Amino acid sequence: MNRQENSSQNIFRNPDLFHYLVHYIGDVEAEIANYPNLSIIIITSRYAILSSPETLETILASPPFETIIYIKPFTIYSLQQISPLEASQAEFLQLDLPLNLLGTGVKVAVIDTGIDYLNEEFMDEDGNTRIDYIWDQSAENSTTQIDGFNIFFGAVYNSEQIQQAIDLYRQGGDPYSIVPVKDEIGHGTKTSGLIGARGKNPNIRGVVPDCRFIVIKLAEELAFRKIYQVNINEPIYNVASIFAALRVISNYALTIRDPIVVYLPLGSSLGNHKGATLLERYINSLALLNGFTIVTVTGNERNTRRHASGTLRPEDPIKTIDLDVAPGQGTLIVDIWVDLPNVVSIDIISPSGDNTGVINYSTNTYTTHTFVFENTTVTVLYFIPEEGTGDQNIRIIFQNLQPGIWRLRFLGNQIIGGNINAWLPQGGLTLPGTQFNPADPYGTITSPGNSPFIITAAAYNQNNNNLVDYSGMAFISGYINPIDVAAGGENALTTAPNNEIAIISGTCVAAAIVAGACAMLFEWGIVQGNDKNLYTQTLKTYLARGVNERPGDIYPNPHWGFGMLNVLRLFDNIT
C-alpha cells in the first residue's frame, strides 16, 4: 500500500478562516506568499482555494492581485432532504430492476456527510466492505495519498484499512482507532443506502446493490456559521470543498478503468442560475470524460418564496421587490442578477421608511450603510460584468436584520430590455417567513443543477404520480436543458447509521434513484461491452427515452424535464 503523509494543518478545521474559490493565472503561490495572513491551495491549473481571516468585502477592497482574476463570492451549499411525511399508510418507494443489472464493476462516489462503514448493507455477502475509499475532509491532515487516490487536505482511508476496522469491531475492539470516521448526521449513509444497500434487509435494497463506493465526507463551513446571525440547524458547506472533492474524484477516474457515477445531493440558491458558476463550468469540463458522470438535485426551493423576478423595459425603468423578514433572521444575503447589457442601481428602504438613497453601481466595489432606527447594517456589492455570464450581479448582505417589510428598489441606468432575478439562500439559512412578495416559483433549481452537462433529477410523488410542491423548477422559458428526468422522492425507506431504518423525502431521494440508473447504464454499456462510449450527454439521452409521461402534460417541461423515470422502459428502448 502506497501512502504519503502531510503534517500541515487542515485549513478547513480553523473556524476563523474564510475560504474562497478563485480563478488565477500565473504563479499565484508566489504572490500570496507576500501576504502573511493569506494561504492558497492549488486545485487545478486555473482554480485554487484562497483562505483569509477577513471576509470577501475586505479582500475586494485591497489592491487587486496580479494573478487572481476572479474571486467567487461566498456561496454556501446545503443538503436537499426534507422532513419525511407521515408514512404510516404510505407506499414506500420500490423499484423493479431489469436485466439483473446490479452495479457490478461500477463505482459510485458519494459527496455527502460520510458513511457508517460498519453498516452491513455496505458489505458483500462474505462480510467484506464495498467501500474503496473514505476521504474525511475535516480530519487533521495525515495521509494525502493512498494507492494513487490523491487528496488536498484531511485524511483518506482505503478498503484495506476499512476492512481492518470492521474486523477489529467484530472482535470487540474500537474500529475508530483505525478509521476514525463517523457519519454523525446520517444523511450520507441514508442516500448511499438508496443507491446501493446490499439488501440484507430486503425492504431496503438499493438500486445497484453490487456497486463499489467512494465516500467523501465534506468539511463543514465553520467561519460563515460563526458570523451568520441565524440559528443554523443543519450542516452547511463551502463551494471550495465541493470543488476539491470533484477534482480528486475526476483525477482518480483517469487512473482506473471502472466507470464512476458521482452523486452530489447538495444545492445552493446563490448564483446566476444559468449554469455558469465556477463550479458548474468545471463540471462542464468533466463531461469530456468517458465513463464519468455527475448526478445532482433540482433542490427543494420551489414553494419557499425565495425567488423573485421582473422584466426591465426602457419605458418602465424602475422595479420594486418587497422582502418580508421574519423575526430572528439576523443575517441575510440577497443575490440579484440583471441580464446583460442592462445596468441598474439600487435603493433599499427599511420598514420604518428610512432608505440608503440610490447606491450607484461601480465595478467590483462595495458600499456599507447603517439604518439608524433599525440598527441594521447593509453592505451592497456590485460585480459588473460578472465573470461567468457578463451579467450584472448585485449582492446585498444584511446584518442585525430587523423583521418587517423591506423594499428593494431598482433604478435603470442602462435599460435595453431583459430580466432581473433575485434569490435568497436556501432552507436552513433563511427562516420560514423570510421571503419575497410577490415570488416566482420558476427558476428555483439550485446550483449546480443548472449546468447542461450534469444530470439533474427532479422529484415527484411516486404513490400518485403527482407533482410535489417543493421540487425546484426551471425558468418558464429556456427550460429544456436543466432538468433531465423526475424520480420518486416521497417516503423512501433506507438504511441509517447503526443498521437502523429511516424514511426520507426530497430531491436527494430522486437523485439517488437516478444515480443508480446511471450506474446500471454504465454496467450495461462499459462493463458488459454493449456501449463502450458512455459520456454524460449519452446518458442524458438514454434517460430521456426511458420515461413515463402523464396525459395532458407537454414535455419537456420546467417541472420534471422529459418525464418520470421508468428503468424498465429505459432498457427496453436501448436493448
Side-chain angles (χ1 to χ4, degrees), residues 99-381:
L99 303 178
N100 198 32
L101 294 171
L102 306 177
T104 305
V106 180
K107 300 184 188 298
V108 177
V110 179
I111 303 176
D112 208 314
T113 63
I115 195 169
D116 178 11
Y117 64 84
L118 298 176
N119 190 311
E120 294 177 344
E121 293 294 345
F122 306 119
M123 304 176 193
D124 62 23
E125 294 182 355
D126 297 323
N128 299 316
T129 185
R130 291 164 45 221
I131 304 170
D132 287 343
Y133 296 97
I134 299 177
W135 174 20
D136 184 357
Q137 290 188 342
S138 60
E140 285 287 1
N141 284 357
S142 57
T143 305
T144 60
Q145 175 181 330
I146 295 183
D147 304 329
F149 193 89
N150 303 319
I151 64 174
F152 300 105
F153 45 83
V156 62
Y157 307 92
N158 66 3
S159 58
E160 179 182 334
Q161 294 167 293
I162 297 168
Q163 190 61 48
Q164 290 173 355
I166 293 171
D167 293 341
L168 182 61
Y169 174 73
R170 290 169 176 159
Q171 298 166 7
D174 178 15
Y176 303 110
S177 63
I178 300 176
V179 180
V181 183
K182 296 181 180 181
D183 182 10
E184 298 88 353
I185 297 167
H187 190 273
T189 300
K190 296 172 186 176
T191 55
S192 297
L194 290 172
I195 297 170
R198 173 166 63 94
K200 181 176 182 181
N201 179 342
N203 293 321
I204 55 175
R205 187 172 187 255
V207 182
V208 280
D210 282 353
C211 73
R212 305 284 300 183
F213 287 100
I214 300 170
V215 176
I216 289 83
K217 181 179 180 179
L218 285 172
E220 292 190 43
E221 173 56 45
L222 302 178
F224 186 79
R225 179 186 292 272
K226 187 176 178 182
I227 67 169
Y228 203 74
Q229 298 170 317
V230 178
N231 185 19
I232 303 174
N233 295 318
E234 61 181 71
I236 56 175
Y237 303 96
N238 192 309
V239 63
S241 61
I242 298 172
F243 194 103
L246 290 176
R247 178 62 171 174
V248 167
I249 297 168
S250 60
N251 279 348
Y252 177 66
L254 297 174
T255 69
I256 63 174
R257 301 182 66 179
D258 297 341
I260 295 179
V261 176
V262 180
Y263 171 68
L264 182 58
L266 297 102
S268 174
S269 288
L270 303 181
N272 54 52
H273 291 69
K274 293 183 178 180
T277 66
L278 281 189
L279 180 63
E280 288 165 329
R281 283 151 54 195
Y282 180 61
I283 288 171
N284 296 348
S285 71
L286 299 181
L288 299 174
L289 297 177
N290 184 29
F292 185 91
T293 196
I294 304 171
V295 180
T296 193
V297 297
T298 60
N300 304 328
E301 291 294 306
R302 177 191 176 276
N303 63 350
T304 61
R305 303 184 65 84
R306 298 186 188 122
H307 171 232
S309 64
T311 302
L312 299 170
R313 298 185 181 92
E315 66 273 15
D316 185 18
I318 299 177
K319 293 293 178 184
T320 302
I321 297 175
D322 286 355
L323 173 60
D324 300 344
V325 176
Q329 182 64 58
T331 301
L332 184 67
I333 297 174
V334 184
D335 208 22
I336 300 153
W337 293 81
V338 182
D339 287 349
L340 65 84
N342 304 283
V343 178
V344 303
S345 295
I346 191 169
D347 181 13
I348 303 173
I349 302 95
S350 73
S352 68
D354 189 12
N355 72 316
T356 59
V358 177
I359 302 174
N360 290 312
Y361 76 93
S362 182
T363 302
N364 290 351
T365 60
Y366 74 97
T367 300
T368 299
H369 176 87
T370 299
F371 294 91
V372 176
F373 183 78
E374 285 84 5
N375 195 29
T376 294
T377 298
V378 59
T379 301
V380 177
L381 299 96

Side-chain angles (χ1 to χ4, degrees), residues 80-83 85 298-304 444 458-462 467-473 487-491 504-510:
Q80 296 303 302
Q81 173 185 335
I82 64 173
S83 299
L85 302 177
T298 60
N300 304 328
E301 291 294 306
R302 177 191 176 276
N303 63 350
T304 61
T444 49
Y460 74 99
N461 188 332
Q462 73 282 352
L467 295 168
V468 291
D469 61 358
Y470 56 79
S471 184
M473 292 200 305
E490 290 289 286
N491 300 314
I504 62 173
S505 297
T507 51
C508 67
V509 175

Side-chain angles (χ1 to χ4, degrees), residues 528-549:
Q528 296 185 357
N530 294 296
D531 188 346
K532 289 287 189 177
N533 297 308
L534 284 180
Y535 296 84
T536 292
Q537 296 305 98
T538 318
L539 296 181
K540 290 163 79 76
T541 299
Y542 282 150
L543 290 171
R545 292 174 179 171
V547 296
N548 291 334
E549 298 179 352

